[in-house]
Amino acid sequence: MIRFLLLLALVLSFNNSYGQLGFCNGSKGDPIFQEDFGTGSGYGPRLAAGITNYSYVTQDPQDGEYTISSIIGREIPSWHSYSPNLTPSGGKALIINAGFTAGQFYRTDISGLCENTTYEFSAYLMNIYNSASGACADGDIPVNVKFQIWDETDTQLLKEGSTGAINSTAFPLAEEYALTFKSAPGQNNVILKMFNNGEGGCGNDLAIDDIIFRSCGDLTSIDAGNSSNMDLRVCEEDTPYNVDLKATPDNTVYQTHAYQWQRSLDAVNWTDISGANQSNYTVVNLVQSTYYRVKVAEDSINLTNNLCSSFSEAFFVQMVSVPTAPVSNGDVVVCGNSEIPQISVKAGVDEMVNWYDAPSGGNLLQAKSFNYQPDVAGIFYAEAKSTLIECKPSSRTAVKITLDNIPDVEDETIQICPNSNISLDAGVSGFNYMWSTGENSQTIQVTQQGNYTVEIATNLGCAVTREFTVNDIDDAQISDVRTDENSIEIIPVNIGVFEYSLDGVNFQDSNVFLGKPGGVYTAYMRDKSGCNTVSLQFPYISPLKFITPNGDGYNDNFILRGVETFPSSQIMIYDRYGKLLKASNGSNFSWNGTLEGKDLPAADYWYHIKIEGFGELKGHFSLIR
């Protein structure tokens, strides 16, 4: 689709090459004529008879031909392959391949003009030759178009102007050109003519779109008192409101001025204000937002026709309502030691929010922010104000931050006895509970090992989870009891968490007992949960580890402490070769390291103790000389 880019702002002056052309510098009316060459895709329709002497084709035109199309550069690769996208209408355009001789290529009649009125003629032009193609070996011919406005008799030239050279570019580029003229009294029709000022050849091919005629009037501004802005804002609490409006034309076009004030609620649908026909107008008892503008014509007869007059820009008297209270994005609950988050509210368009520490009055905590970051929990108040004008603020919206404490809990590992149950307790009361079993009481009963969790929650929704690991109880069994001269050690069959005792009353975690006298003992062993207790009776005799029979009174004889409690016991001493050296019962047994009165050499010797009802004890000791 052919569309064109406006290179510069439409009201900028052209350089000296375009001195004969010019835009309307004042206010413009609605288009009285607009040729946009249609919309859609493809080619056509052809121009009406008499508009051009060029030949119509349905492809890229050759010299002396034209087409109406939304596409270019199909058959002629040196043309731009696409078009800009910013003309008012878009759609199709008139594509001209200039003839070999300069001359007129377009003529059309314009009717419906208002008499004694200044008009602006404008059109968009584009050089469609792509300078980057290099197709013109000797250089391309610039586009140069002359515009003429004739009276309806085609005898009086009212205005003319030429574009000057429109050079080719390496990318699609369109530009709007315009000239102004004034209709005479009684004149309602004119003729538009366009001429190719350059001869045909390589280049000099153009596209034209949006040929527009519209009235041109003074640039009229409206002000209210000392305000030069095109709007006035009024607080709702100050209504009904009165204001004096003044229209000031710049006198660049009209020699005389006729006025008609209009009002609108949407800046689209306008109605005349009866009797408001002066440059000044007083608005009385205004209670709602309203747009005002003034229609200006050089002759009062043209005020009834929008095509024969011009309009000022709309002046907006905006009533600024008292804002509604901001809408809270929700109160916040802070669980335990979590960081205090931001709180926030929503407000209307063109409104800001201030935060306070009280529902009215109080201290300003933060200005112009929809969010607030408190340092502590509490209630905070958001107030909306207009950003357009200093007016009455809204009522305040309370946003609450509540600190919700949650209990400190620790995970626990416990054991369960075979074929029994055990109670699991959340450990804190007064909360809401949700166990992994689906139960919701503070305590539950379980009958098998596994992992159990309980979510402990407050009424405000803060929660903490406690985990219980329930294991089957360790099997308490005694493998052996080992003794030496100073200690008793109870040896378990399995590795586990057990308690040990020698009296069945006082239990300890350690399985070693020290400093016990010799005698008959019972070793007790149980699991920590007290599911099972086992016992084993054993004799405790404490033999010496070595003897030094040198007569100093220390360890001169091998004795068995505690054996005296077993009078029916039998004790035997052997050398390394198994030779029996001494045998006796357990009463007051002692051996001094001699055999038949002679000292035996330093060496290791073995003892063998038979205790009635307990079996045998064997071991060895050293004789040191």
Side-chain angles (χ1 to χ4, degrees):
M1 184 181 294
I2 295 278
R3 296 174 186 251
F4 300 104
L5 174 65
L6 180 58
L7 178 61
L8 298 174
L10 301 183
V11 296
L12 292 181
S13 299
F14 292 92
N15 60 31
N16 292 335
S17 298
Y18 312 125
Q20 295 171 295
L21 301 180
F23 287 90
C24 170
N25 291 322
S27 300
K28 301 176 185 181
D30 296 332
I32 196 171
F33 171 87
Q34 182 170 1
E35 175 59 85
D36 59 14
F37 299 103
T39 60
S41 59
Y43 296 93
R46 70 173 68 231
L47 296 174
I51 292 180
T52 184
N53 57 0
Y54 278 41
S55 300
Y56 174 72
V57 296
T58 55
Q59 62 180 19
D60 288 342
Q62 301 299 318
D63 291 339
E65 296 178 339
Y66 82 96
T67 191
I68 294 177
S69 178
S70 60
I71 54 177
I72 57 173
R74 293 289 183 89
E75 291 79 26
I76 303 178
S78 60
W79 287 2
H80 290 296
S81 60
Y82 67 98
S83 306
N85 200 25
L86 289 176
T87 57
S89 67
K92 299 177 181 179
L94 172 62
I95 312 298
I96 298 290
N97 194 323
F100 281 99
T101 57
Q104 179 180 313
F105 65 84
Y106 186 87
R107 180 190 187 280
T108 191
D109 295 329
I110 310 297
S111 61
L113 275 68
C114 303
E115 60 182 283
N116 198 30
T117 301
T118 300
Y119 282 92
E120 177 194 82
F121 152 77
S122 64
Y124 283 83
L125 275 68
M126 171 185 172
N127 187 326
I128 60 178
Y129 172 71
N130 183 355
S131 62
S133 69
C136 298
D138 297 327
D140 57 291
I141 302 171
V143 170
N144 190 322
V145 177
K146 178 171 64 179
F147 306 110
Q148 289 184 346
I149 308 295
W150 291 78
D151 72 344
E152 61 184 335
T153 67
D154 202 8
T155 59
Q156 183 180 358
L157 178 64
L158 302 179
K159 194 68 173 287
E160 72 173 0
S162 295
T163 63
I166 303 176
N167 294 311
S168 62
T169 58
F171 54 91
L173 183 65
E175 192 170 352
E176 188 180 28
Y177 298 85
L179 58 80
T180 60
F181 67 96
K182 187 172 183 179
S183 61
Q187 185 176 59
N188 301 110
N189 303 297
V190 294
I191 300 170
L192 168 65
K193 297 180 182 180
M194 296 186 195
F195 297 83
N196 173 28
N197 285 341
E199 296 183 351
C202 192
N204 197 14
D205 305 318
L206 71 152
I208 302 174
D209 198 9
D210 287 309
I211 300 171
I212 298 175
F213 281 79
R214 54 190 163 186
S215 62
C216 174
D218 286 350
L219 184 63
T220 302
S221 61
I222 298 176
D223 62 75
N226 295 325
S227 173
S228 60
N229 296 324
M230 292 305 293
D231 60 9
L232 176 66
R233 291 166 181 148
V234 179
C235 296
E236 181 182 29
E237 60 265 27
D238 295 332
T239 58
Y241 191 77
N242 301 336
V243 61
D244 293 323
L245 302 179
K246 180 180 179 181
T248 305
D250 65 358
N251 300 309
T252 57
V253 179
Y254 295 157
Q255 296 179 2
T256 60
H257 300 84
Y259 301 95
Q260 175 61 63
W261 286 87
Q262 296 180 321
R263 68 164 60 93
S264 173
L265 297 180
D266 58 8
V268 176
N269 301 296
W270 294 89
T271 57
D272 291 345
I273 302 173
S274 178
N277 303 114
Q278 303 298 320
S279 60
N280 295 327
Y281 173 68
T282 299
V283 179
V284 179
N285 293 331
L286 187 64
V287 294
Q288 63 180 330
S289 296
T290 306
Y291 295 88
Y292 295 90
R293 74 178 183 183
V294 62
K295 183 193 299 185
V296 184
E298 199 162 10
D299 192 318
S300 60
I301 196 174
N302 291 329
L303 283 175
T304 59
N305 190 340
N306 288 348
L307 304 178
C308 304
S309 56
S310 61
F311 296 93
S312 69
E313 293 292 329
F315 187 94
F316 186 35
V317 183
Q318 181 178 6
M319 297 300 164
V320 180
S321 301
V322 175
T324 57
V327 177
S328 172
N329 287 324
D331 292 339
V332 175
V333 175
V334 179
C335 299
N337 296 322
S338 300
E339 292 185 1
I340 294 178
Q342 281 189 341
I343 52 178
S344 63
V345 294
K346 300 183 185 74
V349 178
D350 297 324
E351 293 177 1
M352 64 180 181
V353 172
N354 294 333
W355 293 86
Y356 293 86
D357 60 1
S360 62
N363 299 305
L364 176 65
L365 301 176
Q366 183 165 322
K368 301 179 180 180
S369 176
F370 293 101
N371 306 313
Y372 176 57
Q373 177 64 67
D375 294 326
V376 295
I379 303 177
F380 307 91
Y381 301 87
E383 173 186 280
K385 293 189 68 176
S386 171
T387 59
L388 303 176
I389 185 174
E390 185 67 28
C391 292
K392 181 181 177 180
S394 73
S395 59
R396 295 178 182 177
T397 297
V399 185
K400 185 177 182 180
I401 297 180
T402 302
L403 187 61
D404 192 18
N405 292 319
I406 54 178
D408 290 329
V409 296
E410 294 183 358
D411 296 339
E412 186 176 354
T413 299
I414 55 180
Q415 294 179 320
I416 186 170
C417 299
N419 302 316
S420 66
N421 58 35
I422 191 171
S423 177
L424 303 183
D425 191 332
V428 289
S429 59
F431 292 88
N432 301 311
Y433 311 95
M434 178 53 66
W435 290 87
S436 55
T437 61
E439 297 164 277
N440 54 17
S441 56
Q442 179 179 333
T443 62
I444 64 171
Q445 299 291 321
V446 298
T447 60
Q448 58 186 5
Q449 69 171 357
N451 294 322
Y452 301 85
T453 60
V454 58
E455 183 182 81
I456 306 168
T458 68
N459 292 330
L460 295 179
C462 292
V464 64
T465 299
R466 187 180 187 191
E467 182 173 341
F468 295 84
T469 301
V470 178
N471 297 321
D472 285 337
I473 199 70
D474 294 324
D475 185 15
Q477 295 185 47
I478 299 175
S479 171
D480 192 11
V481 177
R482 296 175 185 172
T483 62
D484 60 25
E485 60 180 308
N486 292 314
S487 66
I488 299 171
E489 182 180 6
I490 302 173
I491 308 300
V493 173
N494 305 309
I495 296 176
V497 181
F498 302 109
E499 295 178 315
Y500 304 89
S501 174
L502 292 180
D503 59 9
V505 176
N506 300 297
F507 283 83
Q508 65 182 41
D509 292 337
S510 174
N511 64 334
V512 177
F513 298 83
L514 301 175
K516 298 296 183 180
V520 178
Y521 288 87
T522 300
Y524 296 90
M525 175 182 171
R526 71 183 182 186
D527 57 81
K528 282 281 190 176
S529 298
C531 298
N532 183 36
T533 302
V534 294
S535 62
L536 176 65
Q537 192 177 48
F538 67 95
Y540 177 46
I541 298 174
S542 176
L544 294 176
K545 293 295 183 181
F546 64 89
I547 60 174
T548 56
N550 55 11
D552 61 359
Y554 295 97
N555 296 328
D556 287 333
N557 298 293
F558 177 76
I559 60 176
L560 295 167
R561 288 172 293 190
V563 75
E564 64 274 8
T565 62
F566 304 99
S568 61
S569 62
Q570 184 178 6
I571 302 170
M572 293 159 283
I573 303 296
Y574 297 90
D575 63 12
R576 68 173 62 184
Y577 304 107
K579 181 180 179 180
L580 180 63
L581 304 179
K582 183 174 180 176
S584 176
N585 61 26
S587 299
N588 299 317
F589 180 83
S590 177
W591 181 61
N592 62 2
T594 64
L595 178 63
E596 297 177 355
K598 295 181 180 180
D599 292 334
L600 293 176
D604 284 343
Y605 295 87
W606 276 256
Y607 59 85
H608 186 179
I609 307 170
K610 294 181 180 181
I611 301 175
E612 185 178 350
F614 293 101
E616 299 179 351
L617 295 177
K618 295 180 180 180
H620 65 89
F621 62 95
S622 298
L623 189 156
I624 302 173
R625 294 290 184 185

